[in-house]
Amino acid sequence: MSGDSHGGMRDLLGAYALDMLEPGRRAAVSAHLDGCAACRAELGFVAPAAELLPLADPDRASALPEPPPELGERILAGVRAERPARARAWRIRGPVAACAAALLVGFGAGAAAWHAAFVPAPVPLEGVATTAHDDGISAEAELVPHTWGVEIRLTGTGFREGRTYRATLFDGSGTAHPAGEFVGVGGDRMVCNLNSALLRQDAVGFEITDESGEPVVSSSF
Ligand SMILES: [Zn+2]
């Protein structure tokens, strides 16, 4: 039976390292290992990857990954060890290749979990009414209530090309809070994110003023 040949034993080393063989087959591999230095060396290569395989468990994908710091070194060491026998490596190292692929899949899922845990979900935009005080300008605005302050997402046309405009938010007492500046681009549609340290619950309106300090757009909310 081909499974009992040297080549057949090599194909079973991955499952052997993972302790996934039925007892009879496991005993046959053990007996072969006793008398075959090549297969013992192969097992030495497979076993470290098998130890790391639990990291690829899909049930762990929701937990934050803790990649062992030595993993990269192990993979590199395996690649280096494989290099002299490269001509036949891909034929005899099937189980190793399967382990490596499983590990990479596991870390991909871990990265997705990390992304979900640390990248904030999109926040709802709050549309607010605007009034343009310049015939050439049209503008729309939405607010983003960040934890560190309110952001104005201003979309508009007609802000004069090359001119500087200044955004100011106001709190309930009428105090001005700077929310940044931008340069007009004329007739092209412009989308501008203007940030302020004033919190959303304290903000009651904003103004966009031109270089002379005259308001060209205002909003109350
Ligand atoms: Zn052998």
Side-chain angles (χ1 to χ4, degrees):
M1 178 174 171
S2 67
D4 295 316
S5 70
H6 170 73
M9 288 296 167
R10 285 201 131 168
D11 287 343
L12 294 174
L13 290 176
Y16 180 86
L18 290 168
D19 200 15
M20 290 171 63
L21 291 178
E22 47 159 319
R25 183 53 55 90
R26 180 172 182 80
V29 174
S30 290
H32 178 79
L33 283 167
D34 285 344
C36 181
C39 280
R40 286 200 299 273
E42 183 79 9
L43 182 64
F45 180 83
V46 172
E51 284 171 24
L52 295 169
L53 204 59
L55 290 170
D57 184 345
D59 291 336
R60 291 177 53 129
S62 60
L64 293 180
E66 295 180 350
E70 74 276 24
L71 176 66
E73 269 310 303
R74 286 190 183 194
I75 290 174
L76 287 176
V79 171
R80 284 190 212 106
E82 199 170 352
R83 219 172 259 154
R86 190 165 46 192
R88 55 184 186 136
W90 295 112
R91 184 165 52 82
I92 65 173
R93 298 204 188 264
V96 178
C99 287
L103 285 167
L104 292 176
V105 167
F107 281 107
W114 181 91
H115 187 272
F118 289 104
V119 176
V123 290
L125 299 173
E126 176 188 355
V128 292
T130 59
T131 304
H133 307 286
D134 182 311
D135 286 343
I137 291 178
S138 75
E140 296 176 0
E142 293 170 308
L143 303 182
V144 187
H146 295 291
T147 55
W148 38 262
V150 67
E151 172 186 342
I152 304 166
R153 293 195 180 167
L154 184 71
T155 305
T157 59
F159 294 95
R160 289 187 178 77
E161 189 168 357
R163 297 293 186 87
T164 299
Y165 293 86
R166 177 168 293 143
T168 306
L169 275 154
F170 298 97
D171 65 26
S173 71
T175 301
H177 298 261
E181 298 177 330
F182 62 91
V183 176
V185 295
D188 292 338
R189 184 171 175 272
M190 177 201 73
V191 180
C192 192
N193 298 345
L194 300 157
N195 290 296
S196 149
L198 185 66
L199 295 175
R200 171 62 189 94
Q201 66 262 30
D202 299 326
V204 299
F206 73 83
E207 257 181 15
I208 309 293
T209 51
D210 64 15
E211 289 176 351
S212 65
E214 288 295 312
V216 295
V217 175
S218 61
S219 177
S220 297
F221 34 83

